[in-house]
Amino acid sequence: MTTPFSLVDVFHDGPFTGNPLAVVHGGGDLDTATMQAITRWFNLSETVFLLPPSVPGADYHARIFTLDRELPFAGHPTLGAAHAWLAAGGRTAGDRIVQQCGAGLISIRQDENRLAFAAPPLLRSGPVDADTRATLARALRIDPAAIVDAAWADNGPGWIAVLLDSAEAVLAVEPVRHWDGRIEIGLIGAHPAGAPVAWEIRTLFTDAFGGIIEDPVTGSFNAAVAQWLYESGRVTEGYVAAQGTRLDRRGRIFVDYDAGGQAWIGGRSLTIAEGGLPGLNAIA
């Protein structure tokens, strides 16, 4: 007996331009260690296991794994999981898809040819201290004076948002290759007025061995920084952001705000491949 899976390109601007995601449709009998092993085998930034919901109001339960840990929430797995659930015949009773995950219930809506999730509340916010700002500058190998602002933007993974004075400055950053300890940094800089996209995003984090990894597109950071930009008055309406440029990707993130200021983080998703994983229960 096989367990179906799909490979989904999330936040893309054409096939193979976004962030790939593995979605395993099932695996409820698997233990956490086996899910982690499967995730490492896929060797993508995240793998999602779609399970039946265990709380009222949810359409499905998503367990989200990186190569070294399980996350309570992540953005591109949320959109990719919803896309895969719908493609597999999932139907919701209301006008929203509701995902159960470690962060609680996440609302997802369908916007024309893309999906969008409601940005969850931040677990930690506020400015970073001087020592943390200096640490960020060392990791990024930039002058501390180049940091226009820096704040906690943690909605699960632990992001710190670092604002530079331009998209060009963001794209020019050459971070260190290795860092002792865990670090999750999101860079943001504005494109010139009238450009096709408003902001350039980069996210950098350490792997299990201390190597610095750059993510092609990061929904969780985009959700967090959308809230920060809005609450700080730097934006007053929706925008489009680019991510993955330094990796030769064309990630596009569509941010909208409703009347109450709730940020919605949208992007296009595309199923690239489908298959089956044999005998998963046998190795659980």
Side-chain angles (χ1 to χ4, degrees):
M1 181 175 179
T2 63
T3 299
F5 75 91
S6 51
L7 299 179
V8 182
D9 194 10
V10 186
F11 290 116
H12 72 83
D13 189 35
F16 306 105
T17 63
N19 199 355
L21 174 76
V23 182
V24 178
H25 298 257
D29 294 334
L30 303 177
D31 60 22
T32 298
T34 303
M35 290 183 180
Q36 187 68 75
I38 293 168
T39 299
R40 287 196 297 268
W41 184 85
F42 273 118
N43 201 33
L44 300 175
S45 58
E46 279 114 355
T47 292
V48 173
F49 294 81
L50 280 184
L51 309 173
S54 60
V55 298
D59 291 305
Y60 59 85
H61 180 194
R63 292 189 65 181
I64 303 168
F65 287 80
T66 71
L67 293 177
D68 67 342
R69 59 179 170 147
E70 185 173 4
L71 294 178
F73 169 77
H76 103 277
T78 292
L79 291 192
H83 170 90
W85 181 77
L86 289 169
R91 295 293 181 268
T92 183
D95 61 353
R96 296 282 189 269
I97 302 163
V98 180
Q99 171 180 286
Q100 175 190 351
C101 59
L105 298 181
I106 306 297
S107 183
I108 303 161
R109 71 186 188 192
Q110 299 184 65
D111 292 340
E112 298 178 357
N113 63 342
R114 57 182 183 261
L115 297 168
F117 65 85
L122 297 183
L123 304 176
R124 185 178 185 183
S125 60
V128 302
D129 58 35
D131 289 343
T132 301
R133 186 181 282 238
T135 297
L136 294 169
R138 289 197 302 274
L140 297 171
R141 298 200 297 186
I142 61 175
D143 187 332
I147 298 177
V148 176
D149 199 1
W152 288 99
D154 180 12
N155 52 15
W159 297 113
I160 299 176
V162 176
L163 177 66
L164 303 184
D165 66 2
S166 68
E168 183 179 13
V170 167
L171 292 172
V173 168
E174 297 284 357
V176 298
R177 305 250 179 156
H178 184 274
W179 190 263
D180 290 329
R182 187 177 294 280
I183 196 167
E184 288 95 3
I185 302 173
L187 294 167
I188 181 166
H191 281 275
V197 294
W199 300 91
E200 189 72 36
I201 305 288
R202 292 177 70 185
T203 52
L204 308 162
F205 57 91
T206 45
D207 64 15
F209 307 100
I212 297 291
I213 302 295
E214 180 164 357
D215 200 31
V217 195
T218 312
S220 61
F221 178 71
N222 276 279
V225 83
Q227 295 170 81
W228 183 47
L229 291 173
Y230 187 82
E231 291 166 3
S232 65
R234 292 185 172 99
V235 301
T236 58
E237 59 185 8
Y239 60 85
V240 181
Q243 191 177 351
T245 306
R246 281 290 303 264
L247 302 176
D248 291 328
R249 305 285 180 91
R250 296 194 311 274
R252 293 294 182 269
I253 306 94
F254 297 82
V255 176
D256 293 297
Y257 301 94
D258 63 22
Q262 169 68 57
W264 289 83
I265 313 303
R268 302 183 185 95
S269 299
L270 174 68
T271 301
I272 297 294
E274 297 175 297
L277 299 174
L280 293 190
N281 291 336
I283 64 173

